[in-house]
Amino acid sequence: MLNRILAATGTLILILAASLPGAQAQETGLLIAGDAVVTGFSGVVEPEKEEPPLAASQVLDETFIDLEGISARINSLAAPGYIWDGRTWYADAYFDIKARDVGQVFGVAIDDDRFPNVYLAASSAYGLYRVMPDADDDGRPERIKVGEPGADWMDGMWGTADETDTKPSQGGPGSIWKVDGKSGKITLFANIAHNGENNLGAGLGNITYVPEFRQLFVSDLSTGLIHRLDMDGVEIEIFDHGVTGRASLEKSPLPFDASNAPDFDSADFDPEDSETWGFADEDRRVYALAFHNGRLYYSVVGESQIWSVGFEEKTGAFLDSARWELDVPERPKKLPVTDMLFTQSGAMVLAQRGDVKSTYDYANFADHGKSRLLRFWLETPQDDPDTPSRWIAKPEEYAVGFNGQERSTNGGVALSDGYDSQGYLDTTSCEASLWTTGENLRDNKPLQETLLLGGSLVIDGLQGMPIRPVKQYEKFNNSPPWASYMFDNDQFNTDLVDEDDKPTPYSDTNTTGWIGDVEILRTGCDGDAVAGGWPEGPFYVSDLPSTDDAAGDGTLPPPSPLPTAPQCAAMTGQFFCDVKTGTWIYDGILRAEPNQIADKVKIVASSPGVSVVGGPLMSYSAPGIRLTLSGGASGQLISTDVCIFDEAESQKGGPFACCKATIAASVPAEACEKAGE
């Protein structure tokens, strides 16, 4: 049982596993309304440094999946405590699911039990890694760059739960894992198979729970099939779009081709080439799933289309025909739709994910900056017989992230309740918020000075926003997305640098595609849906900050006053010119809130060329510690990320409280002259 109490400590909100003295304990489960389950790559572990030091290529050869890394994390979205204004929000993570247990997962679903359970689907979205047995007696296996006989999956690819049992459950590319909604125990729910053969490597697409049937539906990227499961993990039925679906439009059948299976014993298998991983033909490959008005909607990768299939009313079986719904516009390019949902008002929201990449250094898993979050509406007042689709052909688009063309979604999307004027979850405002996974969300050079006032620039995690405003709105289009909450799924990531002050290859600034899917537990929606409309509730467009259209072009301007990051620490000091080196040096004192329990500080200057003397990890003691920054160029705005924490708590392996702040300062504009020059 998890009893969670929100305790405000300055601007830091802590999650305590405790119950109030003298109060009646209310039995709660793993999830409460407003909690988000976010999936992503678990990260890697590099070999310990040795003498003589390994070359960079040798380090990569000895770098493996981090078994203690986080494959899925539960975050509380209930209490930001401020009106959405685009700043960094250090949301509370309180339950971690590790690669050791579930391997690499993308799709996530939540059922409607009294204590809702979580389901996670195995995925190749973050690469496929195989190894040979240890050949050099260093206690580690050997990574391979092409297929070889005798190789096996790298530990952490698919997971092994139930470690307390005498026979642990072994996962694979077709595994679905269940996280018990009361105890948090992780078990193997099902292994998706076809004709007695398990998924061979391509993994699963996405998974959805249908409360009307109390069943789960999951897409298999290896076969292109949709599997229907009961709540015991037993397969009830399959649907084959390549045959049954395509026949509805008299398209030639594309049956499953078993000969397309990956050959792991051959050099034809290439971990950096997804074409060798055994994906089903793209025109039969199904990914995203969502249930709406008695039909299961699904995305087809090849032609970037949305289809749907109905069910026999009495038996609940798939009908023997499907319906093409729409083509997703190929702008800026054709990309897979990896997640989708429907609002009570009838809108269909689609999240794209960048093309699959897989680099040997684990840094990049999807193209960045092109994937869109789209909204479609049905033609009204009725279907136009002169158009091929029931849906309006031109979709609306949400602005995701501040960078580039604001197309930074990582392919996950979820609905949530709205927030009141104080920034707390309002369960009476149904479907008022939309959340999507994304990366580099606050990275925008022209807006850098303004954005730095509100926290870190590089955020890989979630963006939440009011559900109404889209780019196409003439006014209050939320582009750039100033009306938003943004937080990093790894709240302790400050883009660490190594001893040589070089960015690590796994910092947020260098990685793409590390974030996956999201699902949020929310309250039900009461009342009748209104086609093309929205249920009324607080905090919609009229309540957004700075609604004056000063530019006159329909663009929502930055909030006024400008946002400031929640600060639980402060730094005071000044710049001085070091005439010996001709560089500006910042000499200051870092102080945390008086009630902050901490003995360690991780501090990183994320601006180019700037380093922390003695960092990045330093001992901390009240009332503060001395801090020195060097390398700032004249006139440069430098940003420093700080995480102050209790080292003992951090070493327990679970989430821990982090007093996190972003501190910005401007280097004097005049040049610092070196003595004698």
Side-chain angles (χ1 to χ4, degrees):
M1 181 179 69
L2 296 177
N3 292 315
R4 284 188 282 144
I5 301 164
L6 296 178
T9 307
T11 56
L12 177 69
I13 297 177
L14 301 178
I15 297 296
L16 306 178
S19 39
L20 288 171
Q24 282 191 336
Q26 181 179 0
E27 191 174 21
T28 60
L30 186 66
L31 300 172
I32 62 174
D35 286 351
V37 184
V38 184
T39 60
F41 182 52
S42 63
V44 294
V45 176
E46 295 181 335
E48 294 183 2
K49 293 185 178 181
E50 56 187 67
E51 293 296 335
L54 297 174
S57 61
Q58 293 175 308
V59 170
L60 281 176
D61 290 341
E62 301 290 343
T63 298
F64 301 96
I65 292 173
D66 183 1
L67 299 182
E68 301 303 315
I70 310 306
S71 294
R73 166 167 276 166
I74 300 178
N75 303 275
S76 174
L77 305 182
Y82 63 93
I83 295 176
W84 30 32
D85 57 15
R87 79 179 80 169
T88 300
W89 170 27
Y90 303 119
D92 301 299
Y94 68 89
F95 190 83
D96 288 343
I97 301 162
K98 298 181 178 180
R100 177 183 301 281
D101 295 323
V102 301
Q104 306 307 309
V105 293
F106 179 85
V108 55
I110 302 173
D111 67 21
D112 61 351
D113 278 6
R114 179 189 175 195
F115 303 109
N117 305 291
V118 176
Y119 302 87
L120 302 166
S123 177
S124 63
Y126 321 109
L128 289 181
Y129 309 107
R130 293 178 66 82
V131 294
M132 294 290 289
D134 183 10
D136 54 10
D137 296 326
D138 63 357
R140 298 185 293 265
E142 313 302 328
R143 286 187 69 183
I144 60 173
K145 297 182 179 180
V146 295
E148 292 185 31
D152 201 351
W153 294 113
M154 183 184 293
D155 287 346
M157 259 306 328
W158 309 120
T160 305
D162 302 337
E163 288 189 341
T164 58
D165 295 345
T166 55
K167 294 183 179 180
S169 301
Q170 181 62 49
S175 293
I176 301 173
W177 300 93
K178 177 180 178 179
V179 185
D180 186 84
K182 187 174 183 181
S183 67
K185 183 178 180 181
I186 301 169
T187 55
L188 183 62
F189 179 74
N191 262 327
I192 298 301
H194 180 54
N195 293 334
E197 294 288 335
N198 289 330
N199 186 300
L200 295 178
L204 305 177
N206 218 321
I207 184 171
T208 191
Y209 172 71
V210 179
E212 289 87 343
F213 300 157
R214 279 198 54 78
Q215 294 172 358
L216 287 160
F217 293 77
V218 63
S219 55
D220 186 337
L221 300 182
S222 180
T223 62
L225 299 173
I226 299 174
H227 297 257
R228 183 159 67 104
L229 310 174
D230 67 18
M231 298 315 290
D232 292 321
V234 177
E235 182 177 282
I236 302 172
E237 188 182 12
I238 60 172
F239 177 77
D240 189 338
H241 168 76
V243 176
T244 305
R246 289 174 59 87
S248 303
L249 288 185
E250 298 182 352
K251 292 190 173 187
S252 58
L254 285 174
F256 169 59
D257 182 3
S259 67
N260 193 45
D263 186 358
F264 294 122
D265 293 339
S266 165
D268 290 338
F269 169 70
D270 183 350
E272 295 187 83
D273 182 3
S274 61
E275 296 295 323
T276 70
W277 297 358
F279 285 109
D281 185 293
E282 63 175 15
D283 288 330
R284 64 170 280 116
R285 193 187 318 159
V286 172
Y287 212 122
L289 303 169
F291 190 79
H292 178 63
N293 283 351
R295 300 183 69 84
L296 183 70
Y297 287 71
Y298 58 90
S299 68
V300 179
V301 172
E303 297 175 324
S304 195
Q305 295 179 333
I306 305 300
W307 289 62
S308 70
V309 60
F311 297 87
E312 206 284 326
E313 186 174 348
K314 291 185 178 180
T315 65
F318 284 116
L319 294 177
D320 58 2
S321 64
R323 182 172 69 201
W324 168 82
E325 298 288 345
L326 59 87
D327 287 350
V328 181
E330 297 181 10
R331 294 190 309 271
K333 61 182 300 186
K334 181 179 70 176
L335 290 173
V337 172
T338 54
D339 199 13
M340 61 192 304
L341 59 81
F342 288 86
T343 70
Q344 182 175 269
S345 300
M348 175 169 57
V349 182
L350 309 178
Q352 296 177 321
R353 184 173 171 87
D355 283 333
V356 177
K357 296 179 66 176
S358 182
T359 54
Y360 189 67
D361 63 1
Y362 304 94
N364 306 110
F365 302 124
D367 280 343
H368 171 69
K370 301 180 181 66
S371 49
R372 300 195 291 166
L373 187 64
L374 303 172
R375 184 171 74 193
F376 286 86
W377 293 98
L378 286 169
E379 295 174 337
T380 55
Q382 60 186 7
D383 181 20
D384 183 349
D386 294 328
T387 61
S389 172
R390 303 182 306 135
W391 299 85
I392 297 173
K394 188 175 181 179
E396 300 166 326
E397 181 178 354
Y398 289 97
V400 180
F402 284 87
N403 61 341
Q405 294 182 303
E406 301 163 350
R407 293 171 174 169
S408 295
T409 177
N410 272 153
V413 63
L415 288 166
S416 181
D417 299 321
Y419 293 85
D420 62 24
S421 59
Q422 303 301 311
Y424 294 96
L425 195 71
D426 182 357
T427 56
T428 66
S429 58
C430 166
E431 296 186 349
S433 304
L434 188 71
W435 292 82
T436 184
T437 54
E439 61 192 11
N440 294 339
L441 290 173
R442 302 183 78 251
D443 183 16
N444 182 304
K445 288 185 178 180
L447 295 174
Q448 177 174 287
E449 292 195 25
T450 300
L451 289 169
L452 276 174
L453 295 172
S456 301
L457 295 178
V458 183
I459 297 294
D460 287 3
L462 291 183
Q463 173 181 311
M465 57 201 146
I467 194 170
R468 281 185 176 180
V470 288
K471 288 185 177 183
Q472 285 70 22
Y473 278 12
E474 182 178 348
K475 194 172 185 181
F476 310 141
N477 52 38
N478 204 19
S479 174
W482 286 111
S484 63
Y485 294 129
M486 296 187 177
F487 73 88
D488 202 310
N489 196 49
D490 181 358
Q491 61 179 328
F492 310 112
N493 184 4
T494 53
D495 291 333
L496 277 177
V497 295
D498 61 23
E499 293 178 355
D500 298 324
D501 295 328
K502 296 178 181 178
T504 68
Y506 312 114
S507 65
D508 281 354
T509 55
N510 292 330
T511 58
T512 60
W514 277 43
I515 304 298
D517 196 9
V518 58
E519 191 69 22
I520 299 174
L521 182 67
R522 60 190 178 95
T523 57
C525 293
D526 297 326
D528 296 329
V530 180
W534 298 99
E536 290 303 319
F539 215 42
Y540 284 104
V541 176
S542 61
D543 302 298
L544 296 177
S546 299
T547 54
D548 290 334
D549 184 11
D553 61 359
T555 299
L556 189 69
S560 180
L562 292 174
T564 56
Q567 297 289 306
C568 57
M571 188 163 65
T572 57
Q574 61 183 357
F575 285 95
F576 69 89
C577 176
D578 181 359
V579 296
K580 292 183 179 180
T581 61
T583 58
W584 286 104
I585 304 293
Y586 182 89
D587 186 25
I589 300 294
L590 176 69
R591 294 184 177 89
E593 292 285 340
N595 53 6
Q596 174 72 28
I597 301 174
D599 58 11
K600 207 70 152 182
V601 58
K602 182 170 70 174
I603 179 163
V604 178
S606 54
S607 302
V610 181
S611 61
V612 179
V613 178
L617 290 175
M618 305 165 65
S619 295
Y620 180 84
S621 60
I625 63 168
R626 187 143 186 188
L627 190 68
T628 304
L629 307 178
S630 66
S634 298
Q636 182 182 9
L637 180 67
I638 64 174
S639 172
T640 307
D641 293 329
V642 175
C643 173
I644 307 174
F645 58 95
D646 182 346
E647 186 175 28
E649 285 296 313
S650 71
Q651 293 179 348
K652 292 181 179 179
F656 59 94
C658 167
C659 166
K660 189 167 183 180
T662 300
I663 300 167
S666 292
V667 181
E670 60 268 22
C672 174
E673 301 291 347
K674 189 175 182 180
E677 293 186 357

